[in-house]
């Protein structure tokens, strides 16, 4: 039988923790007693505010700035965390961008920026983390994909490709490391109320969602917390949709 209690304080790294969903995930994991490293790229102010809120509520964590597109910077940051805490128990690959246009009008740069951030970013951050988890024989990796990666979205050929790629990577990596007590899962949010959906006609979209409303970042965070738990030990290589019934 699995030991379902957390023996020592777990260390979590959440990328993109200065944005709406990452912020909610970082707070939720800190609320449940984890020491959380909050990664940000450009928005130090929001990351710091989130860390302040975490500490005010009795949690603990630290900020870690790097660009997930930059493999050297990501690996340097991961090495520093491991030198401080010895281990990373939980990795949430959440950092992401969108840059929507119909494909015939899409610039090559837009294709590469989105793929480099959303998909290569996963590779850049995860490689050394996985090595550490393998040596500790434990880990939880959650990749934030999207409904767009499951069913495709017009105007998001780059974004949908990156998020579908993340699902493939999740399933393949899960098979590589399942025997070492490391699970790898994806969550696929639908429309969630964050800055990322600024400029999207939300009222119109809400009507097309079976649940009749957008999701909240906290609802994504609750699902991530479950997948990070000891109780989720037998769930790996899965994609959990959080989308109000869109698909
Ligand atoms: P958001 O509020 O725009 O936050 C995006 C986060 O990603 C920010 O913290 C940002 O950091 C970070 N980021 C962007 N580029 C980065 C880079 N190169 N290196 C490191 N961090 C970087 O968006 P969100 O809605 O919370 O989205 C979070 C994740 O959920 C994304 O992967 C997104 O694709 C996915 N998702 C969102 C929705 C939705 O409806 N909101 C739906 C499905 C999936 P800085 O601000 O510090 O630069």
């Amino acid at each position: 039988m699995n030991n379902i209690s957390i023996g020592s304080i777990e260390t979590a790294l959440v990328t993109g923790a200065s944005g709406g969903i990452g912020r909610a995930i970082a707070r939720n994991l800190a609320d449940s007693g984890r020491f959380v490293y909050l990664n940000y790229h450009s928005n130090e102010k929001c990351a710091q505010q989130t860390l302040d809120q975490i500490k005010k509520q009795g949690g603990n964590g630290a900020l870690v700035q790097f660009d997930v597109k930059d493999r050297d910077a990501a690996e340097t940051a991961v090495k520093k965390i491991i030198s401080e805490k010895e281990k990373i128990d939980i990795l949430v690959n959440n950092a992401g961008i969108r840059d929507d246009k119909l494909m015939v009008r899409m610039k090559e740069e837009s294709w590469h920026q989105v793929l480099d951030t959303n998909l290569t970013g996963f590779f850049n951050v995860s490689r050394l983390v996985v090595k550490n988890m393998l040596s500790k024989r434990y880990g939880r990796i959650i990749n934030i994909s999207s409904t767009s990666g499951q069913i495709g979205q017009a105007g998001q050929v780059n974004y949908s490709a990156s998020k579908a790629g993340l699902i493939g990577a999740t399933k393949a990596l899960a098979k590589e490391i399942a025997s070492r007590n490391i699970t790898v899962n994806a969550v696929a949010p639908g429309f969630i109320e964050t800055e990322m959906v600024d400029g999207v006609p939300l009222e119109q979209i809400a009507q097309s969602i079976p649940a009749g409303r957008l999701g909240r970042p906290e609802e994504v965070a609750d699902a991530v917390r479950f997948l990070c738990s000891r109780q989720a030990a037998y769930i790996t290589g899965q994609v959990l949709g959080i989308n109000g019934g869109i698909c």
Side-chain angles (χ1 to χ4, degrees), residues 191 201-213 243-247:
F191 290 97
L202 297 180
E203 269 182 32
Q204 199 182 317
I205 279 170
Q207 287 168 14
S208 67
I209 300 171
R213 65 170 177 88
N243 57 39
I246 292 176
C247 65

Side-chain angles (χ1 to χ4, degrees), residues 14-17 39 68 92-97 117-119 144 163 166:
V14 180
T15 67
N39 158 256
V68 297
V92 184
N93 286 301
N94 164 78
I97 57 167
T117 306
N118 299 0
L119 185 56
I144 309 300
K163 294 298 186 178
L166 209 44

Side-chain angles (χ1 to χ4, degrees), residues 87-89 130-140 177-183 230:
K87 63 190 173 77
I88 297 178
D89 305 279
V130 168
K131 272 191 189 167
N132 176 261
M133 288 176 171
L134 286 170
S135 73
K136 301 291 176 192
R137 299 281 196 278
Y138 182 78
R140 296 279 184 267
I177 60 183
S179 66
R180 305 291 180 89
N181 210 17
I182 305 167
T183 65
R230 304 271 159 162

Side-chain angles (χ1 to χ4, degrees), residues 56-128:
K56 214 168 153 189
Q57 289 175 340
N60 213 349
L63 300 187
V64 53
Q65 193 282 334
F66 62 87
D67 178 347
V68 297
K69 296 195 296 309
D70 181 340
R71 184 149 69 244
D72 287 345
E75 295 201 334
T76 300
V78 168
K79 277 184 195 154
K80 185 163 181 284
I81 294 172
I82 293 170
S83 74
E84 286 169 9
K85 298 286 177 192
E86 275 184 33
K87 63 190 173 77
I88 297 178
D89 305 279
I90 295 168
L91 169 62
V92 184
N93 286 301
N94 164 78
I97 57 167
R98 69 182 179 92
D99 189 9
D100 303 350
K101 272 224 168 31
L102 293 176
M103 200 178 90
V104 288
R105 294 193 196 131
M106 188 176 285
K107 298 231 162 65
E108 194 183 334
E109 192 197 339
S110 163
W111 170 265
H112 287 299
Q113 281 288 331
V114 171
L115 266 290
D116 288 354
T117 306
N118 299 0
L119 185 56
T120 308
F122 149 83
F123 177 76
N124 292 342
V125 179
S126 301
R127 223 166 37 142
L128 281 187

Side-chain angles (χ1 to χ4, degrees), residues 15-23 39-44 66-69 93-98 117-118 144-147 159 163 188-197:
T15 67
S18 48
I21 293 175
R23 194 158 53 219
N39 158 256
Y40 67 97
H41 178 216
S42 55
N43 198 341
E44 182 176 4
F66 62 87
D67 178 347
V68 297
K69 296 195 296 309
N93 286 301
N94 164 78
I97 57 167
R98 69 182 179 92
T117 306
N118 299 0
I144 309 300
S145 179
S146 167
T147 306
Y159 184 81
K163 294 298 186 178
F191 290 97
I192 309 295
E193 285 180 55
T194 70
E195 292 93 65
M196 186 170 268
V197 295

